[in-house]
Short mmCIF file of all heavy atoms in Angstrom, two decimals:
data_model
loop_
_atom_site.label_atom_id
_atom_site.label_comp_id
_atom_site.label_asym_id
_atom_site.label_seq_id
_atom_site.Cartn_x
_atom_site.Cartn_y
_atom_site.Cartn_z
N ALA A 193 -8.81 17.64 -20.23
CA ALA A 193 -8.44 19.04 -20.44
C ALA A 193 -9.73 19.84 -20.62
O ALA A 193 -10.02 20.36 -21.69
CB ALA A 193 -7.53 19.17 -21.66
N LEU A 194 -10.49 19.92 -19.54
CA LEU A 194 -11.81 20.55 -19.56
C LEU A 194 -11.85 21.76 -18.64
O LEU A 194 -11.04 21.87 -17.72
CB LEU A 194 -12.87 19.53 -19.13
CG LEU A 194 -12.89 18.23 -19.95
CD1 LEU A 194 -13.76 17.19 -19.27
CD2 LEU A 194 -13.39 18.52 -21.36
N GLN A 195 -12.82 22.64 -18.86
CA GLN A 195 -12.91 23.86 -18.06
C GLN A 195 -13.52 23.63 -16.68
O GLN A 195 -13.49 24.51 -15.84
CB GLN A 195 -13.72 24.92 -18.81
CG GLN A 195 -13.00 25.41 -20.05
CD GLN A 195 -13.80 26.44 -20.81
OE1 GLN A 195 -14.99 26.62 -20.58
NE2 GLN A 195 -13.15 27.12 -21.73
N SER A 196 -14.07 22.44 -16.46
CA SER A 196 -14.63 22.11 -15.15
C SER A 196 -14.55 20.61 -14.92
O SER A 196 -14.42 19.83 -15.87
CB SER A 196 -16.08 22.58 -15.03
OG SER A 196 -16.89 21.89 -15.95
N ASN A 197 -14.62 20.22 -13.65
CA ASN A 197 -14.65 18.80 -13.31
C ASN A 197 -16.07 18.29 -13.47
O ASN A 197 -17.03 19.03 -13.30
CB ASN A 197 -14.19 18.58 -11.87
CG ASN A 197 -12.72 18.87 -11.69
OD1 ASN A 197 -11.92 18.60 -12.58
ND2 ASN A 197 -12.36 19.41 -10.55
N ASN A 198 -16.18 17.01 -13.80
CA ASN A 198 -17.49 16.40 -13.94
C ASN A 198 -17.45 15.06 -13.21
O ASN A 198 -16.55 14.25 -13.47
CB ASN A 198 -17.81 16.20 -15.42
CG ASN A 198 -19.23 15.76 -15.67
OD1 ASN A 198 -19.81 15.02 -14.88
ND2 ASN A 198 -19.80 16.20 -16.78
N PRO A 199 -18.42 14.80 -12.31
CA PRO A 199 -18.41 13.54 -11.56
C PRO A 199 -18.46 12.30 -12.46
O PRO A 199 -18.03 11.23 -12.04
CB PRO A 199 -19.68 13.63 -10.72
CG PRO A 199 -20.05 15.06 -10.67
CD PRO A 199 -19.50 15.68 -11.92
N VAL A 200 -18.92 12.45 -13.69
CA VAL A 200 -18.99 11.29 -14.59
C VAL A 200 -17.59 10.75 -14.90
O VAL A 200 -17.43 9.56 -15.14
CB VAL A 200 -19.78 11.62 -15.87
CG1 VAL A 200 -18.98 12.49 -16.83
CG2 VAL A 200 -20.21 10.35 -16.57
N HIS A 201 -16.57 11.60 -14.84
CA HIS A 201 -15.22 11.14 -15.15
C HIS A 201 -14.70 10.21 -14.05
O HIS A 201 -14.03 9.22 -14.35
CB HIS A 201 -14.28 12.32 -15.37
CG HIS A 201 -14.70 13.16 -16.52
ND1 HIS A 201 -14.87 14.51 -16.43
CD2 HIS A 201 -15.04 12.82 -17.79
CE1 HIS A 201 -15.29 14.98 -17.60
NE2 HIS A 201 -15.40 13.97 -18.43
N ALA A 202 -15.00 10.50 -12.81
CA ALA A 202 -14.62 9.60 -11.71
C ALA A 202 -15.40 8.30 -11.83
O ALA A 202 -14.84 7.21 -11.60
CB ALA A 202 -14.86 10.27 -10.36
N ALA A 203 -16.67 8.37 -12.19
CA ALA A 203 -17.48 7.16 -12.37
C ALA A 203 -16.93 6.32 -13.52
O ALA A 203 -16.86 5.09 -13.43
CB ALA A 203 -18.93 7.54 -12.62
N GLN A 204 -16.54 6.97 -14.60
CA GLN A 204 -15.93 6.28 -15.75
C GLN A 204 -14.65 5.58 -15.32
O GLN A 204 -14.43 4.41 -15.66
CB GLN A 204 -15.64 7.30 -16.86
CG GLN A 204 -14.90 6.75 -18.04
CD GLN A 204 -14.44 7.85 -19.00
OE1 GLN A 204 -14.32 9.01 -18.62
NE2 GLN A 204 -14.18 7.47 -20.23
N LEU A 205 -13.82 6.27 -14.57
CA LEU A 205 -12.56 5.67 -14.11
C LEU A 205 -12.82 4.49 -13.18
O LEU A 205 -12.13 3.47 -13.27
CB LEU A 205 -11.69 6.72 -13.42
CG LEU A 205 -10.35 6.23 -12.88
CD1 LEU A 205 -9.52 5.54 -13.96
CD2 LEU A 205 -9.58 7.38 -12.27
N LEU A 206 -13.82 4.59 -12.34
CA LEU A 206 -14.15 3.46 -11.46
C LEU A 206 -14.53 2.23 -12.29
O LEU A 206 -14.11 1.12 -11.99
CB LEU A 206 -15.29 3.83 -10.51
CG LEU A 206 -15.73 2.72 -9.54
CD1 LEU A 206 -14.57 2.24 -8.69
CD2 LEU A 206 -16.88 3.21 -8.68
N THR A 207 -15.28 2.43 -13.35
CA THR A 207 -15.63 1.32 -14.24
C THR A 207 -14.37 0.74 -14.88
O THR A 207 -14.20 -0.48 -14.96
CB THR A 207 -16.63 1.77 -15.32
OG1 THR A 207 -17.81 2.24 -14.66
CG2 THR A 207 -16.98 0.64 -16.26
N TYR A 208 -13.46 1.61 -15.33
CA TYR A 208 -12.20 1.14 -15.91
C TYR A 208 -11.42 0.31 -14.89
O TYR A 208 -10.85 -0.73 -15.23
CB TYR A 208 -11.33 2.32 -16.36
CG TYR A 208 -11.80 3.06 -17.58
CD1 TYR A 208 -11.10 4.15 -18.04
CD2 TYR A 208 -12.94 2.68 -18.28
CE1 TYR A 208 -11.50 4.85 -19.17
CE2 TYR A 208 -13.36 3.37 -19.40
CZ TYR A 208 -12.63 4.46 -19.84
OH TYR A 208 -13.03 5.14 -20.96
N LEU A 209 -11.39 0.77 -13.64
CA LEU A 209 -10.68 0.04 -12.59
C LEU A 209 -11.28 -1.34 -12.40
O LEU A 209 -10.55 -2.33 -12.25
CB LEU A 209 -10.72 0.82 -11.28
CG LEU A 209 -9.89 2.09 -11.22
CD1 LEU A 209 -10.24 2.91 -9.99
CD2 LEU A 209 -8.40 1.79 -11.24
N LYS A 210 -12.60 -1.43 -12.41
CA LYS A 210 -13.26 -2.72 -12.24
C LYS A 210 -12.96 -3.66 -13.40
O LYS A 210 -12.62 -4.82 -13.19
CB LYS A 210 -14.77 -2.52 -12.09
CG LYS A 210 -15.16 -1.88 -10.77
CD LYS A 210 -16.65 -1.62 -10.72
CE LYS A 210 -17.03 -0.94 -9.41
NZ LYS A 210 -18.46 -0.59 -9.36
N VAL A 211 -13.09 -3.15 -14.61
CA VAL A 211 -12.85 -3.99 -15.80
C VAL A 211 -11.40 -4.43 -15.86
O VAL A 211 -11.10 -5.57 -16.21
CB VAL A 211 -13.27 -3.23 -17.09
CG1 VAL A 211 -12.81 -3.98 -18.34
CG2 VAL A 211 -14.78 -3.02 -17.12
N ALA A 212 -10.48 -3.54 -15.51
CA ALA A 212 -9.05 -3.86 -15.57
C ALA A 212 -8.55 -4.59 -14.32
O ALA A 212 -7.40 -5.00 -14.27
CB ALA A 212 -8.25 -2.57 -15.75
N ASP A 213 -9.42 -4.73 -13.32
CA ASP A 213 -9.07 -5.36 -12.05
C ASP A 213 -7.88 -4.65 -11.39
O ASP A 213 -6.92 -5.27 -10.96
CB ASP A 213 -8.78 -6.86 -12.22
CG ASP A 213 -8.78 -7.60 -10.89
OD1 ASP A 213 -9.49 -7.18 -9.96
OD2 ASP A 213 -8.04 -8.60 -10.77
N LYS A 214 -7.99 -3.33 -11.33
CA LYS A 214 -6.98 -2.49 -10.67
C LYS A 214 -7.63 -1.81 -9.48
O LYS A 214 -8.84 -1.63 -9.41
CB LYS A 214 -6.40 -1.44 -11.62
CG LYS A 214 -5.77 -2.01 -12.87
CD LYS A 214 -4.56 -2.84 -12.55
CE LYS A 214 -3.93 -3.41 -13.83
NZ LYS A 214 -3.00 -4.47 -13.57
N ARG A 215 -6.83 -1.41 -8.52
CA ARG A 215 -7.35 -0.86 -7.28
C ARG A 215 -7.48 0.66 -7.28
O ARG A 215 -8.39 1.20 -6.69
CB ARG A 215 -6.45 -1.29 -6.11
CG ARG A 215 -6.87 -0.74 -4.79
CD ARG A 215 -7.07 -1.82 -3.77
NE ARG A 215 -7.29 -1.27 -2.44
CZ ARG A 215 -8.49 -1.05 -1.93
NH1 ARG A 215 -9.55 -1.29 -2.63
NH2 ARG A 215 -8.61 -0.56 -0.73
N GLN A 216 -6.55 1.37 -7.92
CA GLN A 216 -6.52 2.82 -7.76
C GLN A 216 -6.31 3.54 -9.08
O GLN A 216 -5.62 3.05 -9.97
CB GLN A 216 -5.40 3.21 -6.79
CG GLN A 216 -5.44 4.65 -6.38
CD GLN A 216 -4.57 4.90 -5.16
OE1 GLN A 216 -4.36 4.01 -4.34
NE2 GLN A 216 -4.08 6.10 -5.05
N GLY A 217 -6.91 4.74 -9.18
CA GLY A 217 -6.74 5.56 -10.37
C GLY A 217 -6.81 7.03 -10.04
O GLY A 217 -7.20 7.43 -8.94
N LEU A 218 -6.42 7.83 -11.01
CA LEU A 218 -6.47 9.28 -10.89
C LEU A 218 -7.09 9.88 -12.13
O LEU A 218 -6.76 9.48 -13.25
CB LEU A 218 -5.06 9.86 -10.75
CG LEU A 218 -4.29 9.59 -9.47
CD1 LEU A 218 -2.81 9.94 -9.67
CD2 LEU A 218 -4.88 10.39 -8.33
N VAL A 219 -7.99 10.84 -11.94
CA VAL A 219 -8.44 11.71 -13.02
C VAL A 219 -7.63 12.98 -12.86
O VAL A 219 -7.63 13.60 -11.79
CB VAL A 219 -9.95 12.02 -12.93
CG1 VAL A 219 -10.36 12.99 -14.04
CG2 VAL A 219 -10.79 10.76 -12.98
N LEU A 220 -6.94 13.38 -13.93
CA LEU A 220 -6.15 14.62 -13.91
C LEU A 220 -6.70 15.56 -14.97
O LEU A 220 -6.58 15.29 -16.17
CB LEU A 220 -4.67 14.30 -14.18
CG LEU A 220 -4.00 13.35 -13.20
CD1 LEU A 220 -2.58 13.02 -13.67
CD2 LEU A 220 -3.98 13.94 -11.80
N ASN A 221 -7.30 16.65 -14.53
CA ASN A 221 -7.89 17.62 -15.45
C ASN A 221 -6.94 18.81 -15.58
O ASN A 221 -6.84 19.66 -14.69
CB ASN A 221 -9.26 18.08 -14.94
CG ASN A 221 -9.95 18.99 -15.91
OD1 ASN A 221 -9.41 19.34 -16.96
ND2 ASN A 221 -11.16 19.40 -15.59
N PHE A 222 -6.27 18.89 -16.72
CA PHE A 222 -5.30 19.94 -16.99
C PHE A 222 -5.94 21.24 -17.48
O PHE A 222 -5.25 22.22 -17.70
CB PHE A 222 -4.28 19.46 -18.03
CG PHE A 222 -3.33 18.42 -17.50
CD1 PHE A 222 -3.65 17.07 -17.55
CD2 PHE A 222 -2.12 18.80 -16.95
CE1 PHE A 222 -2.77 16.11 -17.06
CE2 PHE A 222 -1.24 17.85 -16.46
CZ PHE A 222 -1.56 16.50 -16.51
N GLY A 223 -7.25 21.25 -17.66
CA GLY A 223 -7.91 22.43 -18.22
C GLY A 223 -8.24 23.52 -17.22
O GLY A 223 -8.74 24.58 -17.60
#
Side-chain angles (χ1 to χ4, degrees):
L194 304 168
Q195 293 179 346
S196 64
N197 291 325
N198 189 326
V200 75
H201 299 128
Q204 175 189 21
L205 180 55
L206 180 58
T207 300
Y208 288 179
L209 290 168
K210 289 176 182 176
V211 170
D213 195 29
K214 302 296 180 195
R215 178 125 172 94
Q216 190 165 332
L218 291 166
V219 177
L220 301 175
N221 185 358
F222 289 88

